Amino acid sequence: MTDGRRIAILGATGSIGAATLDVVANLQRHAPDAGWRVMSVSGHSRIEELVRSAEAASPKPRTIVVSDGQKITEAEEEISRHGLTGHCQLDTGADALVRAATDPEVDTVVAGIVGRAGLESTLAAVQAGKRVGLANKETLVIAGPVVTAAATSSGSELLPIDSEHSAIYQCLAEARGLASTRSASQLGHDVGSSRVTAEANGRCDFGSPNHAFPGVRRLILTASGGPFLNSSSEEIDAATPAEALNHPTWDMGEKITIDSATMMNKALEIIEAKWLFDVPADRIEVVVHPQSIIHSLVEFEDGSVIAQLSPPDMRLPIQYALTYPHRLPCPAPPLERTQRWDMSLIPVDLERFPALELGFEVARVGGTAGVVLNGANETAVPLFLSGKIRFTDIARLCKQTLQDHNHESAPSLARLLELDTWSRQRAAQLAETISVA
Ligand code: NAD
Ligand code: MG
């Protein structure tokens, strides 16, 4: 029997959080004595929903975290109204997320907060040596080297939840197996310990002379193409928020849905892959796959390509991150095989989706570029949703903000946080000069 995990779900009221709660409930039904347990749930604004999720969990989470410190009274009232007083303790404010992420009784943290707001708690979980199921890709985009260095020193396992990166992690199983069958002396000097760390973190050392994951040529991320895959440049320029929020294959939170429409999501995922798998940008490719069944592919040196397939349902990558290296029955439906499968792979169009080029560029230069791109994008998306800028201005603002910043290749975390603030201010200033008319 696979031992259950004691899990903190950060961002429990979101799309990833809700799917995680469902996965854990299913694992509990499947193996009632294994000890699967949600230790804490966090939410920011939808307090009633958060408290209801705690009420539905069994056993009840020990802690309900409300990260917005303004919502203490509302949270207390909801906890009382749902009969949870005395069962769940309330912790509030941004620091409460860090306390939940580092709770000694928690062994696994699901990082399901959207955007930069998830950075401190995700990093704290990594520093505390937890297994981290990473949905919050923005943390790696902002501070990839800081997070991966922290994982190496704490022994934290970074298990991707993003479906593409989970797919790559799964496709790399063969390379990972090969690496672990080689002795330290075969691999060369000093590689024994780094191999163990790389294995633990699922990272492959493409750039180093000691290929911890031998034989891998390229990582190929699939992109659905979003709602504008077949739209003209003019149609994309005139896209409304409602059109951009209408994703053809995935049901997700608002921000990532807009990121999917601009393909900024794929740009962020290129950067995420670079840090997660320790791979240079020129070893990453993107291919459009509208059906969202092939979640990504790995090409090996002999030309063989291994892919991971499943219907678009986040419960599978979430569960994989929780149960790795074991596989257990999952509530996500399997592939329907009684009907014709259409699976197409289409080259990306960088002209209609300029955000993608930014992802490759930022992955190439690293350093401060990721935080600047992310800050500008997190500023531009709400401006588009509130009608202040056009859809195509999102990538335009991001590009200009990147061009306006003085790149540094090895920034500290403090410097990255300064640039997070700067990039938001700069993107907002630039937006003022744009007319939506
Ligand atoms: P969502 O909008 O549905 O949920 C966001 C969660 O973050 C909520 O629980 C909310 O309370 C919390 N949150 C928002 N602002 C906060 C703040 N300032 N402080 C603390 N908590 C805050 O988002 P989602 O779609 O679940 O995405 C979450 C993360 O997972 C994102 O980084 C996204 O890119 C990534 N991801 C999502 C999917 C998906 O299918 N939804 C797939 C891959 C990756
Ligand atoms: Mg993804």
Side-chain angles (χ1 to χ4, degrees), residues 137 161-165 222 250 252 256 265-266 269 272 314:
K137 64 191 86 184
I161 282 181
D162 216 348
S163 54
E164 295 77 2
H165 304 73
T222 52
W250 290 101
M252 310 179 284
I256 185 175
N265 183 49
K266 215 45 59 182
E269 290 183 358
E272 181 185 11
M314 289 307 292

Side-chain angles (χ1 to χ4, degrees), residues 380-381 383-384 386-391 393-394 397 431 434 436:
V381 169
L383 289 175
F384 164 66
S386 59
K388 301 215 171 67
I389 60 172
R390 300 170 81 86
F391 182 75
D393 290 332
I394 299 176
L397 282 183
I434 288 173
V436 282

Side-chain angles (χ1 to χ4, degrees), residues 5 26 82 89 121 180 196 200 219 299 302 328 402 406 419 424:
R5 292 188 159 265
N26 188 65
H82 287 264
Q89 69 194 42
S121 51
S180 65
V196 172
L219 308 184
E299 184 185 62
D302 58 2
L328 298 173
L402 272 171
N406 293 320
L419 281 167
R424 286 163 198 270

Side-chain angles (χ1 to χ4, degrees), residues 122-373:
T122 306
L123 181 57
V126 170
Q127 285 165 336
K130 309 293 185 194
R131 172 178 290 196
V132 176
L134 187 73
N136 178 252
K137 64 191 86 184
E138 294 90 345
T139 285
L140 277 183
V141 172
I142 294 171
V146 177
V147 175
T148 51
T152 304
S153 72
S154 72
S156 164
E157 295 174 292
L158 269 181
L159 271 289
I161 282 181
D162 216 348
S163 54
E164 295 77 2
H165 304 73
S166 175
I168 288 171
Y169 198 95
Q170 295 178 58
C171 295
L172 282 172
E174 185 190 277
R176 200 177 289 122
L178 261 181
S180 65
T181 56
R182 288 174 140 207
S183 71
S185 60
Q186 280 172 298
L187 280 166
H189 63 278
D190 199 21
V191 78
S193 59
S194 71
R195 172 173 57 82
V196 172
T197 313
E199 261 177 79
N201 294 332
R203 298 168 62 212
C204 36
D205 204 357
F206 289 76
S208 105
N210 306 318
H211 284 280
F213 291 88
V216 175
R217 188 189 283 163
R218 266 188 198 91
L219 308 184
I220 306 167
L221 299 170
T222 52
S224 70
F228 306 130
L229 174 61
N230 298 312
S231 306
S232 65
S233 297
E234 293 71 29
E235 287 165 336
I236 294 175
D237 193 41
T240 64
E243 287 166 346
L245 285 169
N246 186 23
H247 198 281
T249 50
W250 290 101
D251 182 12
M252 310 179 284
E254 219 171 50
K255 191 252 178 188
I256 185 175
T257 305
I258 299 299
D259 286 350
S260 299
T262 54
M263 289 189 77
M264 186 63 80
N265 183 49
K266 215 45 59 182
L268 301 180
E269 290 183 358
I270 293 165
I271 305 162
E272 181 185 11
K274 173 198 163 89
W275 295 122
L276 197 55
F277 300 110
D278 202 7
V279 42
D282 63 0
R283 300 275 199 140
I284 303 173
E285 278 177 20
V286 174
V287 62
V288 173
H289 169 56
Q291 296 83 9
S292 301
I293 288 174
I294 304 173
H295 296 296
S296 277
L297 316 92
V298 173
E299 184 185 62
F300 291 83
E301 284 301 352
D302 58 2
S304 183
V305 173
I306 295 185
Q308 185 265 328
L309 283 67
S310 53
D313 189 318
M314 289 307 292
R315 289 175 297 183
L316 184 56
I318 290 169
Q319 176 164 309
Y320 185 78
L322 297 180
T323 63
Y324 177 83
H326 306 286
R327 292 195 185 260
L328 298 173
C330 180
L335 265 184
E336 171 61 64
R337 295 187 293 271
T338 56
Q339 290 169 2
R340 170 184 157 142
W341 294 3
D342 279 324
M343 290 187 283
S344 31
L345 298 175
I346 307 167
V348 289
D349 181 344
L350 295 174
E351 270 183 33
R352 283 182 309 137
F353 298 100
L356 263 181
E357 191 65 66
L358 300 181
F360 283 114
E361 177 61 18
V362 170
R364 255 191 301 275
V365 301
T368 49
V371 68
V372 171
L373 175 66

